[in-house]
Amino acid sequence: MAHCQSTWGFGGFLDSIWIWASVGAAFFQALRYAGLKVLNQRLSAPVTTYVRIVFTLPFLIVYLIAILWWTGESLPPLNRSLLIYSSIAALAQFTGTVLVVRMFALGNFAVATLIIKADVIMTALIGTAFFSEAITPIGWVAIIVTMLGVVVVSSGRTSAPAGDTAVSGRRASSTAPVVLGLSAAMIYALSYLSLREGILAIDPAAGTLVRAAYAVLVMTAISAAMVGAYLLAREPRELARMFLFPRLCWFIGAASAIASITWFFATALTNASYVAAVAQVQIVFTLLLSFFYFGERIRALEIAGIAIIVSGLALFRMA
């Protein structure tokens, strides 16, 4: 009985808080992608991506100040490892998001989001081979089950109606979305693993909340400086146009900030591959947004895939 209470009661909640943080990150990522899809109809892909960075920064600054005040801790010192890994993660995040935004212009919103979910397996494999990922056997099972759910959902989302040869032919002849999606997945995997290493490089005497808040701010600030300089040189007029859509830009910034805060917090607690796998629940939120906002129909096969994904999430409680 005591074990049951520790597993499913408040103690169990604390043990699995990274799962809830990952689910929260997935929800706000889905909102962010929906906002980016709308904004990309008005701005170029690089500037649309930059909105996610620059409008997120003020929220992250306020959040870090609040965390330092609440915990009473001091700001950890910067170190070379944190700067290097944050720079890699920042560049990878920007590049991956540009590819995803360009995918939005080539096809269905849900399909574009689903294709990049190969990042989970890539994160696990690359992280195990070259980074500090230590995945348990149950962890591998949970990752595989979750990815199976993604495949089932993807099958339901990309299957054309019977006899729709025009749609089938168009899909068969267009490999650009798949190439962009797999490229984005590889780049995102590198960013996840880099930010995990960056967090681990922070002084371990700092608390988890402070380390996560500090790491996400450092990475975002580096990204804002790097990408901002590039866009000022390449697209200055387009960059200025983003201020014509303040409500949408601040919405994307707020959603991105919450997604980043919860993602970094979860990553500070467990393997980057576990967080990326649990975040597959974003598909559920994506499909709901596709249905209610973009008017895209949800199919029975997609519902079955969602059930498999939820089963995979349950396995992570034992990983």
Side-chain angles (χ1 to χ4, degrees):
M1 181 65 70
H3 175 72
C4 180
Q5 288 177 345
S6 65
T7 303
W8 299 103
F10 184 68
F13 172 79
L14 291 179
D15 290 340
S16 59
I17 193 171
W18 69 269
I19 297 178
W20 297 105
S22 302
V23 170
F27 174 73
F28 285 99
Q29 278 183 330
L31 289 182
R32 179 185 73 190
Y33 279 140
L36 289 172
K37 177 179 173 67
V38 174
L39 188 62
N40 188 221
Q41 298 170 0
R42 308 170 188 180
L43 298 173
S44 68
V47 174
T48 298
T49 305
Y50 189 60
V51 165
R52 181 192 71 82
I53 301 169
V54 73
F55 280 84
T56 299
L57 202 54
F59 292 102
L60 298 181
I61 293 173
V62 172
Y63 175 70
L64 177 58
I65 293 173
I67 288 297
L68 291 174
W69 173 81
W70 185 60
T71 61
E73 297 184 39
S74 58
L75 195 66
L78 273 175
N79 60 69
R80 187 174 63 177
S81 294
L82 173 60
L83 289 174
I84 291 174
Y85 283 119
S86 294
S87 298
I88 295 172
L91 182 60
Q93 281 283 325
F94 175 75
T95 305
T97 305
V98 168
L99 294 179
V100 171
V101 170
R102 286 181 175 171
M103 284 178 64
F104 289 155
L106 296 177
N108 182 290
F109 169 69
V111 172
T113 306
L114 291 171
I115 292 176
I116 66 170
K117 292 309 172 183
D119 60 354
V120 177
I121 293 296
M122 292 181 182
T123 302
L125 294 176
I126 296 173
T128 301
F130 301 106
F131 290 81
S132 59
E133 295 286 282
I135 303 175
T136 66
I138 294 180
W140 278 110
V141 172
I143 290 173
I144 293 171
V145 169
T146 305
M147 285 305 301
L148 177 61
V150 173
V151 172
V152 173
V153 172
S154 300
S155 299
R157 177 56 47 167
T158 59
S159 58
D164 194 347
T165 56
V167 174
S168 300
R170 188 160 58 246
R171 184 188 311 113
S173 63
S174 179
T175 59
V178 176
V179 173
L180 286 174
L182 293 178
S183 299
M186 176 69 76
I187 292 170
Y188 275 142
L190 179 61
S191 74
Y192 303 154
L193 293 164
S194 296
L195 69 87
R196 167 71 173 169
E197 296 299 320
I199 292 173
L200 294 177
I202 298 174
D203 184 357
T208 301
L209 283 173
V210 171
R211 293 167 68 196
Y214 188 42
V216 68
L217 178 57
V218 170
M219 191 200 79
T220 306
I222 291 174
S223 184
M226 291 169 52
V227 179
Y230 170 80
L231 291 177
L232 278 175
R234 296 294 299 270
E235 300 185 45
R237 292 185 179 180
E238 187 71 2
L239 186 63
R241 289 188 65 244
M242 69 182 180
F243 296 105
L244 298 176
F245 314 102
R247 290 187 179 181
L248 184 54
C249 288
W250 282 115
F251 169 79
I252 292 171
S256 296
I258 299 173
S260 297
I261 288 168
T262 49
W263 186 288
F264 271 70
F265 177 66
T267 305
L269 296 173
T270 191
N271 292 333
S273 52
Y274 286 1
V275 176
V278 171
Q280 299 309 298
V281 74
Q282 177 187 342
I283 292 174
V284 179
F285 304 131
T286 298
L287 291 175
L288 292 175
L289 283 172
S290 297
F291 178 75
F292 288 107
Y293 188 81
F294 296 112
E296 299 169 1
R297 188 165 61 91
I298 298 179
R299 298 166 177 82
L301 195 58
E302 294 163 357
I303 296 175
I306 290 171
I308 296 174
I309 292 170
V310 173
S311 299
L313 299 186
L315 287 172
F316 276 107
R317 290 183 62 91
M318 300 180 289

